Amino acid sequence: DSSKATAEQIIAGVKVIREELLKALTNTGVRIIAPKPNDEFQPGQHEAIMQQAMDGVAKGNVAMLFQPGYALGERIIRPAKVGVAP
């Protein structure tokens, strides 16, 4: 039956919806908090969920991002969940 969607079509549809949602959030002032490796750990914006050594990352800096966070203006809606270099 040609009316059934393939897995690739469903994934593509979900990606389009995700992009539109992120665009709508950005237009209302929501920003994504997604620190990169070796960015300074900021307790108000980041939540350390583990310590992880990583080459090229200074002690106390972000080693990896597990889940991005969100902010609306200066208010943190959800902090980014990160691993921090010991």
Side-chain angles (χ1 to χ4, degrees):
D1 186 281
S2 63
S3 66
K4 292 189 178 184
T6 65
E8 292 82 18
Q9 291 170 324
I10 293 171
I11 291 170
V14 170
K15 286 181 180 179
V16 169
I17 292 168
R18 179 184 183 274
E19 291 304 315
E20 288 299 317
L21 176 61
L22 288 175
K23 196 183 307 179
L25 288 172
T26 302
N27 289 340
T28 60
V30 173
R31 67 179 169 83
I32 297 174
I33 303 169
K36 308 241 182 308
N38 212 30
D39 282 355
E40 180 182 347
F41 176 74
Q42 298 177 13
Q45 295 187 19
H46 308 147
E47 177 182 353
I49 59 172
M50 68 176 286
Q51 289 187 332
Q52 176 69 41
M54 185 175 274
D55 289 341
V57 176
K59 179 180 179 177
N61 283 358
V62 173
M64 62 183 59
L65 174 68
F66 289 100
Q67 184 178 42
Y70 299 93
L72 179 59
E74 295 302 311
R75 184 175 181 176
I76 304 300
I77 298 170
R78 181 179 78 190
K81 294 183 181 191
V82 300
V84 177

